[in-house]
């Protein structure tokens, strides 16, 4: 069967040359264009003038088919696209008032967050270890599973904090060297300080005061990275969690001061643990080294700031007339002794 008949066109003989009076492929040279209105529609489509119009970019025959469904043998909603000299039936690619039908659908909402986490694998690993540290520390502070389990969670929290500190130290100093210069540079990093801190208390008697710096530092850093994950997921994702993280960030300075206060008062606590039989002989000396590193920290000055604030407060109290003389003298001697032990800060 001829192709024209298959598409609903009537079978006929080939058209005469273009421009002749009896031509069916054009309007003819001696004929007014209006005279062609009475001709069959398929004849007009095969005219050169019509072809030049229909070959314009982006033209579709959807509206033509709806007007003349009988001539094309196609249902409403289909369109004919010109391909050489043949007509082929396809589904419409554009619907009026709607985007292109072949537009690819958007990906899942959390794809940006997953991509962000896969791109920053080391930061994601530290984020997960910090969340685990917060979990173990919370179960130690609130022993809902029993006192025996609380002691195991104490060690797990310190070990997880040691892992986080080691990963952070590797991120800051990726090229490890067995040299004195590298060790001196590593001791300037806060991550090295808390790696030493975790090793000091991991095998000691569980002390609630020693777990607070680990818990709060992990919470602050985990909150910072969680904000980045939420931003990668979407600017308006999880608004309740965002409000909690914003409140945590607003109190960051007070939290850091509380951490510094714990670091300071753990020094006399280690001495008390030694005399009570719950600490080792080397623990106060190693912790003193840790405290000097925190005092001279370049990135976290809160320990040094709190030492100065405590000195000002104590001096203000002992200078009052109601303070006994021996208490004043003891406090002044203690301040002078601690000032001599303080390292020199550049």
């Amino acid at each position: 069967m001829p192709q024209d008949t298959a598409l609903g066109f009537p079978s006929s003989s080939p058209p005469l040359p273009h421009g002749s009076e009896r031509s069916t492929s054009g309007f003819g040279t001696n004929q007014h264009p209006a005279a062609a209105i009475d001709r069959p529609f398929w004849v007009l489509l095969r005219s050169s003038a019509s072809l030049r119009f229909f070959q314009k970019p982006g033209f579709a025959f959807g509206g033509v088919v709806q007007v003349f469904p009988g001539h094309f043998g196609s249902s409403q909603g289909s369109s004919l696209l010109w391909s050489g000299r043949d007509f082929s039936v396809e589904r419409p690619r554009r619907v009026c008032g709607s985007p292109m039908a072949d537009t690819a659908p958007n990906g899942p909402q959390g794809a940006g967050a997953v991509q962000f986490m896969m791109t920053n694998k080391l930061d994601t690993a530290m984020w997960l270890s910090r969340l685990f540290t917060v979990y173990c520390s919370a179960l130690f502070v609130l022993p809902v599973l029993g006192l025996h389990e609380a002691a195991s969670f104490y060690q797990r929290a310190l070990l997880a904090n040691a892992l986080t500190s080691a990963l952070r130290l590797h991120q800051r100093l990726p090229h490890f060297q067995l040299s004195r210069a590298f060790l001196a540079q590593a001791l300037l990093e806060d991550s090295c300080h808390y790696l030493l801190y975790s090793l000091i208390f991991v095998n000691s008697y569980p002390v609630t005061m020693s777990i607070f710096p680990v818990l709060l530092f992990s919470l602050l850093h985990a909150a910072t990275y969680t904000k980045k994950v939420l931003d990668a997921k979407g600017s308006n994702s999880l608004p309740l969690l965002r409000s909690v993280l914003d409140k945590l960030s607003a109190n960051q300075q007070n939290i850091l001061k509380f951490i510094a206060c714990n670091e300071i008062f753990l020094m006399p606590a280690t001495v008390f643990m030694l005399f009570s039989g719950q600490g080792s002989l080397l623990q106060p000396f190693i912790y003193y080294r840790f405290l000097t590193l925190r005092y001279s920290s370049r990135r976290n000055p809160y320990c040094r700031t709190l030492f100065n604030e405590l000195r000002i407060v104590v001096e203000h109290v002992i200078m009052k007339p109601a303070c006994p003389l021996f208490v004043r003298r003891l406090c002044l001697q203690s301040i002078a002794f601690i000032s001599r032990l303080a390292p020199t800060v550049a």
Side-chain angles (χ1 to χ4, degrees):
M1 180 182 292
Q3 184 179 0
D4 293 345
T5 305
L7 291 174
F9 298 130
S11 177
S12 63
S13 59
L16 296 177
H18 175 73
S20 63
E21 295 181 0
R22 299 179 59 188
S23 173
T24 59
S25 62
F27 293 117
T29 57
N30 300 322
Q31 224 173 4
H32 195 273
I37 298 178
D38 295 332
R39 298 187 180 185
F41 189 77
W42 68 273
V43 175
L44 297 180
L45 284 178
R46 299 183 62 179
S47 65
S48 59
S50 300
L51 292 179
R52 285 194 300 270
F53 176 76
F54 294 136
Q55 285 177 344
K56 291 181 179 180
F59 183 84
F61 286 80
V64 176
V65 175
Q66 293 178 5
V67 177
F68 301 95
H71 289 281
F72 294 93
S74 58
S75 60
Q76 186 175 356
S78 299
S79 63
L80 293 172
L81 299 181
W82 181 260
S83 176
R85 293 186 60 86
D86 297 331
F87 291 98
S88 59
V89 181
E90 295 183 3
R91 296 188 62 84
R93 292 190 180 182
R94 183 182 295 273
V95 180
C96 183
S98 65
M100 296 293 291
D102 56 353
T103 304
N106 295 329
Q109 186 177 3
V114 174
Q115 183 65 27
F116 174 77
M117 294 170 66
M118 294 302 295
T119 305
N120 305 278
K121 294 181 180 179
L122 188 58
D123 291 333
T124 304
M126 290 189 293
W127 178 58
L128 295 176
S129 63
R130 282 164 178 158
L131 291 178
F132 183 73
T133 304
V134 172
Y135 169 75
C136 294
S137 302
L139 289 180
F140 169 72
V141 176
L142 304 173
V144 294
L145 300 179
L147 295 178
H148 179 70
E149 291 294 329
S152 64
F153 280 116
Y154 175 82
Q155 290 186 338
R156 292 174 191 175
L158 290 174
L159 289 175
N161 182 71
L163 174 62
T164 306
S165 301
L167 291 174
R168 179 59 178 165
L169 184 61
H170 173 69
Q171 188 180 41
R172 296 281 299 174
L173 301 174
H175 305 291
F176 177 76
Q177 297 176 359
L178 288 175
S179 62
R180 185 175 180 179
F182 180 84
L183 179 61
Q185 188 177 4
L187 290 176
L188 297 177
E189 299 292 334
D190 291 351
S191 54
C192 182
H193 303 167
Y194 268 87
L195 177 60
L196 178 62
Y197 180 89
S198 300
L199 297 178
I200 292 173
F201 291 101
V202 68
N203 291 321
S204 65
Y205 186 81
V207 182
T208 306
M209 188 184 294
S210 64
I211 207 67
F212 278 117
V214 171
L215 169 63
L216 295 176
F217 265 128
S218 300
L219 186 62
L220 288 176
H221 288 293
T224 302
Y225 191 77
T226 304
K227 278 187 177 180
K228 295 180 181 179
V229 174
L230 293 179
D231 291 339
K233 185 178 181 180
S235 57
N236 296 324
S237 58
L238 300 176
L240 182 61
L241 181 59
R242 284 180 178 272
S243 63
V244 174
L245 296 178
D246 291 337
K247 290 180 180 179
L248 191 63
S249 299
N251 295 308
Q252 180 176 353
Q253 187 174 3
N254 295 328
I255 294 173
L256 290 175
K257 285 185 177 181
F258 180 76
I259 293 172
C261 186
N262 274 268
E263 293 173 350
I264 293 172
F265 287 101
L266 269 174
M267 184 68 238
T270 56
V271 177
F272 178 77
M273 289 170 59
L274 174 62
F275 288 106
S276 63
Q278 296 176 350
S280 63
L281 181 61
L282 295 177
Q283 191 176 28
F285 298 99
I286 301 176
Y287 189 81
Y288 165 72
R289 179 56 179 165
F290 165 79
L291 195 59
T292 57
L293 292 174
R294 298 303 296 161
Y295 186 87
S296 58
S297 175
R298 298 177 300 178
R299 302 184 63 186
N300 191 346
Y302 287 96
C303 184
R304 184 169 58 253
T305 303
L306 201 63
F307 263 115
N308 293 330
E309 291 180 357
L310 288 174
R311 178 177 179 175
I312 293 172
V313 169
V314 171
E315 289 179 347
H316 176 73
V317 171
I318 63 177
M319 291 303 172
K320 292 183 178 180
C323 181
L325 184 60
F326 76 95
V327 175
R328 182 184 305 173
R329 189 174 300 172
L330 180 62
C331 291
L332 290 176
Q333 291 177 357
S334 300
I335 291 174
F337 175 74
I338 294 174
S339 299
R340 287 196 300 268
L341 294 177
T344 304
V345 180

